[in-house]
């Protein structure tokens, strides 16, 4: 794995600038078609999903009132785990993307929705919607790419600290909601300097996260267990287990979307002057899908269609499966690789990459000459498409 700009054989070398812009026009047409057809069926879908999630959570919490009995503990924990996954993935994630804002329903709107997670919705929308989706897979700009703690590309200098990368990633997976809260705060960057630590903006955001975590802890580890009476400790353990299962599942889905083999990364300078067609192309090359059943798609929040989601993050999630064949046809038309596979394969591929990049480069990558300071008079083309011929 290396950034697309430093690959010996570029997967887009055959595309002209005109091809890329035409690709953008064709993708815009797919998006416009869905927007024009949004309607009651889509509204019914999200309302039905919210109802299912809330009933499942309520029913599971009622069962856990009797969690002192092992069968009740197992059933309640399983149900609560699924309810929390649905809340984060198919409901919360997609509502906070503004996918349902067109309904004009104040109860199902990105500006009012709050979810069952340690990170406040407002902070997540900034770090995810505005930053991650703008700088998808750009090394040094996209914090979702390695969450700021991992080496995700062979071109990144290796240090012994990266030997612990598989362990860091596992801990991040287990407590994923808190990891997301930390990176939404840009905790590493803000704690490095005294000035940043003491800034009113950072203090306000940190207070907001603490308040949100406090509410989550109170709900899952005090109020609900207390209502269970003699089942207090059993219910507390059930809530903790459900949170861990939700975190592991969510982390796996996110890993499958941007880490498997075949997914490209990009250099920071490469997106300067990026056109709409180039942005679309970067989303196509920087994302991967998961193949599976309709139930799998729902449980992943339709991020099993990560490619379609990154192309059209504000379209209703229930429409991704519908447009996926059209998007895949464009991959074939423009001779691009559509990265997809079953979830076990994609998870294994992502973990293999994380383990491999925790070690020093081997083979041809290990003998690459060090990067040299660029000559201002001989800079490479700033865009990551093929360099256009210079005018005579």
């Amino acid at each position: 794995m290396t950034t697309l700009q430093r690959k010996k054989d570029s997967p887009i070398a055959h595309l002209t600038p005109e091809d890329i812009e035409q690709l953008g026009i064709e993708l815009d047409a797919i998006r416009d078609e869905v927007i024009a057809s949004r309607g009651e069926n889509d509204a019914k879908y999200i309302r039905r999903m919210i109802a299912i999630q809330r009933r499942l959570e309520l029913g599971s919490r009622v069962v856990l009132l009797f969690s002192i009995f092992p069968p009740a503990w197992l059933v309640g924990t399983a149900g609560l785990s699924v309810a929390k996954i649905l809340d984060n993935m198919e409901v919360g994630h997609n509502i906070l993307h503004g996918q349902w804002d067109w309904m004009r329903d104040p109860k199902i709107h990105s500006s009012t929705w709050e979810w069952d997670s340690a990170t406040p919705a407002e902070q997540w929308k900034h770090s995810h919607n505005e930053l991650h989706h703008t700088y998808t897979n750009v090394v040094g700009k996209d914090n979702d790419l390695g969450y700021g703690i991992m080496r995700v590309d062979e071109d990144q200098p290796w240090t012994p600290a990266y030997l612990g990368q598989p362990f860091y990633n596992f801990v991040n997976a287990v407590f994923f909601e808190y990891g997301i809260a930390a990176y939404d705060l840009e905790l590493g960057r803000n704690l490095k300097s005294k000035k940043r630590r003491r800034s009113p903006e950072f203090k306000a955001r940190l207070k907001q996260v603490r308040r949100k975590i406090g509410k989550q802890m109170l709900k899952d580890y005090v109020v609900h267990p207390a209502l269970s009476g003699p089942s207090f400790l059993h219910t507390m353990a059930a809530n903790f287990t459900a949170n861990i299962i939700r975190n592991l599942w969510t982390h796996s889905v996110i890993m499958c979307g941007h880490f498997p083999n075949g997914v490209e990364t990009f250099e920071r300078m490469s997106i300067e002057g990026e056109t709409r067609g180039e942005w679309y192309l970067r989303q196509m090359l920087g994302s991967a899908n998961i193949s599976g059943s309709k139930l799998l798609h729902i449980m992943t929040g339709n991020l099993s269609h990560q490619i379609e989601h990154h192309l059209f993050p504000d379209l209703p999630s229930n429409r991704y499966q519908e447009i996926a064949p059209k998007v895949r046809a464009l991959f074939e038309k423009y001779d691009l690789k559509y990265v997809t596979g079953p979830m076990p394969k994609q998870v294994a591929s992502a973990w293999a990459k994380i383990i491999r990049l925790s070690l020093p480069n081997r083979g041809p990558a290990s003998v690459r000459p060090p990067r040299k300071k660029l000559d201002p008079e001989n800079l490479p083309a700033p865009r990551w498409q093929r360099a256009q011929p210079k005018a005579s």
Side-chain angles (χ1 to χ4, degrees), residues 31-220:
R31 183 178 186 277
D32 291 343
E33 184 180 352
V34 175
I35 288 179
S37 63
R38 289 180 308 194
E40 188 58 30
N41 287 338
D42 300 300
K44 285 181 180 178
Y45 175 82
I46 188 58
R47 290 189 175 112
R48 182 168 64 249
M49 289 308 307
I50 292 171
I52 290 172
Q53 187 277 325
R54 288 177 175 172
R55 289 168 187 165
L56 182 58
E57 180 174 358
L58 178 60
S60 299
R61 291 195 181 278
V62 169
V63 172
L64 285 174
L65 296 177
F66 310 97
S67 57
I68 195 171
F69 303 107
W73 190 92
L74 289 171
V75 172
T77 302
L80 187 59
S81 301
V82 173
K84 284 177 173 285
I85 288 170
L86 287 175
D87 177 86
N88 271 198
M89 305 300 286
E90 182 67 332
V91 177
H93 172 273
N94 296 326
I95 290 176
L96 292 177
H97 257 298
Q99 294 180 6
W100 310 97
D101 287 1
W102 58 273
M103 293 166 53
R104 303 288 194 272
D105 185 340
K107 295 181 180 179
I108 310 176
H109 199 277
S110 61
S111 63
T112 59
W113 192 267
E114 191 56 76
W115 57 353
D116 182 38
S117 176
T119 184
E122 200 61 39
Q123 291 189 27
W124 181 86
K125 283 188 292 184
H126 169 70
S127 62
H128 185 82
N129 295 1
E130 297 177 26
L131 300 182
H132 167 58
H133 277 269
T134 300
Y135 303 113
T136 305
N137 278 30
V138 176
V139 178
K141 294 284 284 183
D142 181 5
N143 283 339
D144 271 31
L145 190 63
Y147 312 113
I149 60 173
M150 294 188 294
R151 182 173 181 248
V152 294
D153 195 276
E154 288 171 341
D155 282 331
Q156 289 177 268
W158 181 86
T159 66
Y162 286 122
L163 290 171
Q165 182 165 291
F167 175 71
Y168 307 152
N169 194 47
F170 175 73
V171 173
N172 188 40
V174 173
F175 301 103
F176 194 48
E177 61 178 314
Y178 301 104
I180 293 297
Y183 113 72
D184 286 347
L185 281 170
E186 296 180 278
L187 205 56
R189 189 175 69 130
N190 283 317
L191 291 180
K192 279 183 180 178
S193 72
K194 191 174 182 180
K195 183 179 179 181
R196 285 185 176 277
R197 286 197 303 272
R198 294 186 173 182
S199 72
E201 181 187 358
F202 174 66
K203 286 184 176 181
R205 292 170 62 209
L206 183 60
K207 184 178 180 180
Q208 188 182 19
V209 171
R210 286 174 174 169
R211 189 184 304 118
K212 184 67 189 297
I213 290 175
K215 288 181 179 179
Q216 294 294 113
M217 292 286 189
L218 183 66
K219 170 175 66 71
D220 280 342

Side-chain angles (χ1 to χ4, degrees), residues 239-256:
N239 287 339
F240 179 78
T241 302
N243 283 330
I244 297 300
I245 291 172
R246 183 267 314 277
N247 290 342
L248 290 171
W249 175 263
T250 305
H251 180 270
S252 295
V253 171
I254 301 304
M255 287 254 295
C256 288

Side-chain angles (χ1 to χ4, degrees), residues 313-382:
D314 59 345
L315 292 188
S317 59
N318 62 308
R319 306 296 289 275
Y320 290 148
Q321 190 170 6
E322 171 191 327
I323 65 175
K326 299 177 183 177
V327 171
R328 189 162 190 168
L330 289 179
F331 272 80
E332 295 174 0
K333 177 179 178 180
Y334 289 92
D335 194 21
L336 300 169
K337 186 177 181 181
Y338 189 87
V339 181
T340 187
M343 191 165 187
K345 176 185 175 183
Q346 299 294 71
V347 171
S349 175
W351 270 99
K353 184 178 291 183
I354 284 169
I355 293 170
R356 175 169 59 82
L357 291 174
S358 71
L359 303 171
N361 292 342
R362 292 180 292 176
S366 65
V367 294
R368 291 180 186 176
R371 292 190 180 188
K372 297 180 181 179
K373 190 173 182 180
L374 295 173
D375 179 1
E377 300 297 324
N378 192 29
L379 290 173

